[in-house]
Structures are given as C-alpha cells and as structure tokens.
Amino acid sequence: MRTRGFIGMTLAAVALVLSLAGCGQSAQSRTPSVAAVPLPARARVLAQVTRCNPGANQYCAVQLVVVGRYGSSDALLRSERKYLKSLGWGLVNAQTADEHAAESPGHKFHLVFATAALDLKDVDLGWVRRSRTIARVLSQTMINRQSALSLMLESGAA
C-alpha cells in the first residue's frame, strides 16, 4: 500500500516539474535579443544578463550595462531618449521616478533605462532588482567615472 502512495506522489511531482519546465520554455522563447536594443552613436554594451520570471506573469528580460563616450551619464541618457524617439519608440511611464521607459513601434519591446548612479540607488533601496553581475558592473563604471546606463529590455508591453 505504501509503495503505491509513494509512486503516485513521485509521478505527481514529476508531472509538476515537467509542467513548470514547459512554462519556463514559453517565457524563454520570448526572450528579446540584445540586437533589439537601439543604442545611440558612441555607445556600446559592456555587460548583459538574461533573467526569466517563471511565475504567473512569465517573461524573460535582458539586463544591460551600456557605456559611451559622453560627458556624463545624463548626456548618454538624453542621447538614448532622443535616439529612441527618432526611431518611433514611444516614451512611457517607468516603475520609479529615477527610470525612463519606452515602447517600440507595435509594442513589441519595452525598454527601461536609467543612469548607473540612479539605478544602483534604486537597487540599494529595493525598488528595482538587477542581477549581481549587472550591479557589480554598474558599480565598476562609477568607480571608473564612465558614462553608463542600466537598461532592461522585455518582449511586449510591461
């Protein structure tokens, strides 16, 4: 009797794991490409990390650190906003007052971006979440006095 109960519980656990694995695959299939991130002239990707949320609202996002040859991070941010607008991206409200956000034409992509200093502040306060790698690289750009932005690209409107 106990063997049947154990086998039944084992099969139920395997079914649960397989169903959750299937959910994660659908989120990962919608993972945006770094190539979809419009960057202004003189800007380049320094680091990137893909993060997926397998919960009820499944999505995958690409977190980036972008540096550029600009006088300040604010100048890089203004250049990014201007470039996005020139490509037809619509500027939308972001999660915090320190962030900026935009949606691509057709709402295929949602981009959130902030200066390195403000993003690190928001991470420290627990207002936003970034991978350890992204936070470390953002900190390093501050130490190196580089003009830097934190970006997060998601598929679809957030």
Side-chain angles (χ1 to χ4, degrees), residues 53-110:
N53 177 359
N57 297 319
Q58 300 172 17
Y59 72 93
C60 288
V62 178
Q63 297 176 8
L64 308 162
V65 176
V66 172
V67 294
R69 287 187 238 137
Y70 289 82
S72 67
S73 293
D74 285 329
L76 175 57
L77 185 127
R78 285 191 306 274
S79 183
E80 176 70 11
R81 282 178 53 103
K82 184 178 177 180
Y83 187 56
L84 290 169
K85 285 174 73 174
S86 76
L87 295 175
W89 286 59
L91 299 178
V92 296
N93 290 330
Q95 183 178 345
T96 73
D98 295 330
E99 296 176 321
H100 299 262
E103 288 188 1
S104 67
H107 307 288
K108 186 174 179 183
F109 297 108
H110 180 80

Side-chain angles (χ1 to χ4, degrees), residues 133-154:
T133 299
I134 295 299
R136 181 179 42 78
V137 173
L138 286 170
S139 295
Q140 194 62 49
T141 65
M142 299 281 300
I143 292 167
N144 295 340
R145 301 189 53 86
Q146 292 174 286
S147 299
L149 297 179
S150 171
L151 290 89
M152 185 170 66
L153 182 70
E154 301 170 322

Side-chain angles (χ1 to χ4, degrees), residues 9-26:
M9 287 177 48
T10 303
L11 290 175
V14 168
L16 177 63
V17 167
L18 289 176
S19 70
L20 290 175
C23 291
Q25 287 177 350
S26 66

